[in-house]
Amino acid sequence: MKQFNQVDHEEMTMNDVLEFTNFSLPSVNDIVEGVVVRVSNQEVTVDIGGATEGTIYLNELTLDKVESAKDVVKVGDTIKAMAKKVDDEQILLSRRALLEYQRFQDLKVAYEKGETLEGRVIRTVKGGLIVNIGMDAFLPTNMVDVDFVTDLEQYVGQKMLVRIVEFNPRNKRIKVSRKIVVAEQLKVAREDQYSTLAVGDIVTGKVVRLEKFGAFVRFGALEGLVHISEISHLPVEKVEDALTVNQEVSAKVIKVEGTKIQLSIKAVLPTPFEQFVQVHHENEVLEGTVVRLTEFGAFVELAKGVEGLVHLSELSWDHKAKLEEVVSEGQKVQVRIILLDKKHNRIGLSLKKVEQDPWQTFSHKVGDVICGTVTNMTDLGAFIKVAPYIEGLCHFTEASWNPNKKLASLVSVNEEVEVKIISLDVKKHRLGLSLRAVKENPWNTVTLKVGDVITGKVESMNDRGAFVAIEEDVIGFLPANQITEKRINRVEDVLSVGEVVEVKVMRFEPKQAKLELSIRRIKEDAEREEFNKYMKEQEQAETETLGDLFGDALKNLLK
C-alpha cells in the first residue's frame, strides 16, 4: 500500500494533498472503485484513491476460469471490488465476491420473475446434478425431465434450460428444474403439432412406456398409443417381447379422437406376404407345415404369417387319394408354388407337382396294346389303371364289337385286362382305352351280302325281336315281324336262346355294324319259288295239251 511519506512532496499538487487529507481506509466488505494500474498474470493492482492501492489475485478476479489476469482486465480499466482484508500491510480486494453478490441478486430477480435460465451441467451428485447458472445450483433427478431419468451421466457437460424453483438467500442454496421448462415447451409444441396432425401421417418417435395392452410412443411433443394388436402383423403375446423403452419406431396415425392418438407400427411395415413374394417365386419348391385341413384342401404355413392352399386337385397324381390319407396337421411337407396372387394375397401350392408329372413320362402311344387293372365301373364306362397315377377310360361303346354285350358282363373291378390306346391327351391327362379294339373288327372280315341265307344262334331276345349271332361278335337283328308270317305276342313263344336258326340277310352295313335278318322271308321266298315253279309247270302242261288237240285236228283235216 502506498504510504504518505513515500510520496514525492515536490511533485504533489493541492488536489493530492486534499486527497490524502480526506481519504479513509475502506472496511472489510466495503465496495470500492478504482483504476487498474498494473496487470500481471497472477494479480491486478488497483488505485482506489488516497494514494492507496489494493491487490486482486487471479482467483478473486473473475468467476470464470482463465489462465492470466491479462485476459480479464487491462491498465486503465475502472473496476469495482469488495474489500476482503484491510491492514497496515495491504488491502486485498475481491472482484469475484462482488460478481457473486451481483449474480446472486440477478438470480434472485430471475427467481422472483420466473425466468428461464441457461446453465451447464458440471457434475453428478447424489440425487441429481449440479448445474452452473452463474452459480452452482442443484437439479434433483425427478426434475431433470418429464420422464424419469436413470442415466444422469449423459447430461454432464451439456447446456440446458432450467428454472429456479427454490432460492435461499441465507445459505445461498438454489434448486432448479428442467422438467418445468421441458413441460412448457412440450405443451406449446404439442399444440402446434396437434393442429397439423392427420390420420394417415407417418411419424417417428421413441417408446416411452410399456403396458399390457400396448406401448406409448412419443413423437415430437405428442404421445400416441400403439395397441398390442397394431405392433406387428404377427401375433404378439407380450408387448415387452416386441418393444423396449427408448426404442425408435415409425408408426402410422390411425385415429385421432380428442387428445387421444392411436398409432400402428404394423401399418408401416411390409406384411409377411409382401416380404415373402420379394424373395420367392412361382415354381419354387419349399418346405412348409400343414396347419389345418378343410373340405377343399390343406393350408400350409410357409413362413410366419404366410400360408398357402394345397387344393384337393393338387394333393396327388392319384386323383382318388383322400386328403386325410395324404397329409395331417403338423406334418412337414415339400410343396411347389403354382400361384402367387399379389393382388389378393393368395398363394397356390401343389404337393403332387413336387414330383414329375407321370403323364409326361408315360411311354406309350395311340395304337399300343397294354395291360391294366379295372379300378372303377360307372355308367360311362370302366376306369382302368395302366401305370402309377395313370388311369384311362374304356367307354361302354368300346367294350365289345357286339353292341349287345354289356361292359359289366365282360370285366369287373380289380380284374386285369388287355386294352388298346385309342386316344391320348398328355396336357389334359386324358387316356381313351378300348377292350374291343384289341381284337380285329369282325365286321371288316365277315363275308355277307344281302340275300344270303345263313345259319345263326339266337343269343338274346326282347319285345322287338331276337339277336342272332352269325360269327363271334357279329350279331344280327331279327325283327319280330320277320320271324313268322303270323302275328306273335311274345318272341319267346316261337324262339329260344341258343336255338340255331336259318335266316336271310335283309340289310348289311358293316361300317355301322348293322345286320338285319329274316326267317319269314326264307319261307316266303320258298313259297314264292314253289309257286313260280308250279306256274311254270302249268304253262308247260297247257302248252302240251293244246298241241295235242290242234295236232289231232290237223291230222283229221289232212285226211
Side-chain angles (χ1 to χ4, degrees), residues 471-482:
E471 293 183 10
E472 183 181 2
D473 293 334
V474 177
I475 309 300
F477 181 61
L478 175 61
N481 62 0
Q482 292 298 319

Side-chain angles (χ1 to χ4, degrees), residues 307-324:
E307 293 181 2
L309 172 65
V310 179
H311 191 267
L312 293 175
S313 61
E314 293 296 331
L315 279 175
S316 171
W317 293 113
D318 182 0
H319 66 277
K320 295 180 181 178
K322 295 181 179 180
L323 181 62
E324 296 79 5

Side-chain angles (χ1 to χ4, degrees), residues 268-287:
V268 300
L269 299 175
T271 65
F273 179 84
E274 290 170 338
Q275 292 177 310
F276 182 85
V277 297
Q278 288 177 357
V279 295
H280 297 287
H281 53 82
E282 289 184 2
N283 206 40
E284 184 177 356
V285 175
L286 299 174
E287 183 179 76

Side-chain angles (χ1 to χ4, degrees), residues 2-48:
K2 283 185 179 181
Q3 299 297 322
F4 183 75
N5 56 10
Q6 293 178 331
V7 179
D8 188 351
H9 296 85
E10 295 182 356
E11 295 180 359
M12 291 181 63
T13 65
M14 181 57 70
N15 290 332
D16 292 333
V17 174
L18 292 173
E19 184 178 348
F20 279 115
T21 302
N22 298 328
F23 181 76
S24 60
L25 292 175
S27 300
V28 174
N29 293 331
D30 283 352
I31 305 298
V32 298
E33 186 177 60
V35 178
V36 177
V37 293
R38 284 187 302 278
V39 181
S40 68
N41 288 332
Q42 296 300 316
E43 62 182 51
V44 175
T45 303
V46 181
D47 183 355
I48 58 174

Side-chain angles (χ1 to χ4, degrees), residues 112-238:
E112 292 171 347
K113 291 184 178 181
E115 295 177 353
T116 299
L117 305 172
E118 183 181 87
R120 183 184 294 275
V121 179
I122 304 302
R123 63 186 181 278
T124 61
V125 294
K126 183 179 180 180
L129 299 168
I130 298 299
V131 181
N132 186 277
I133 54 174
M135 295 182 64
D136 287 351
F138 177 60
L139 173 58
T141 301
N142 63 352
M143 293 187 180
V144 174
D145 206 341
V146 290
D147 297 317
F148 185 73
V149 177
T150 55
D151 180 18
L152 295 176
E153 289 292 339
Q154 62 178 311
Y155 295 102
V156 176
Q158 293 187 12
K159 289 182 178 181
M160 61 172 57
L161 295 178
V162 295
R163 188 170 297 167
I164 300 173
V165 293
E166 288 185 19
F167 189 88
N168 192 330
R170 296 182 62 182
N171 55 21
K172 295 184 180 180
R173 289 185 178 178
I174 302 173
K175 183 187 290 185
V176 295
S177 171
R178 177 176 176 266
K179 181 178 180 179
I180 294 175
V181 178
V182 172
E184 290 179 352
Q185 292 173 336
L186 286 174
K187 182 180 179 181
V188 175
R190 189 179 296 115
E191 292 173 352
D192 291 342
Q193 189 177 354
Y194 190 82
S195 64
T196 59
L197 188 69
V199 172
D201 287 352
I202 306 299
V203 298
T204 301
K206 286 187 176 181
V207 177
V208 294
R209 191 165 76 257
L210 300 179
E211 301 290 350
K212 289 184 178 180
F213 52 84
F216 287 90
V217 175
R218 179 174 297 155
F219 55 102
L222 299 177
E223 276 189 17
L225 170 66
V226 180
H227 191 267
I228 189 171
S229 62
E230 293 294 333
I231 293 176
S232 172
H233 291 288
L234 302 176
V236 176
E237 293 185 5
K238 294 182 180 179

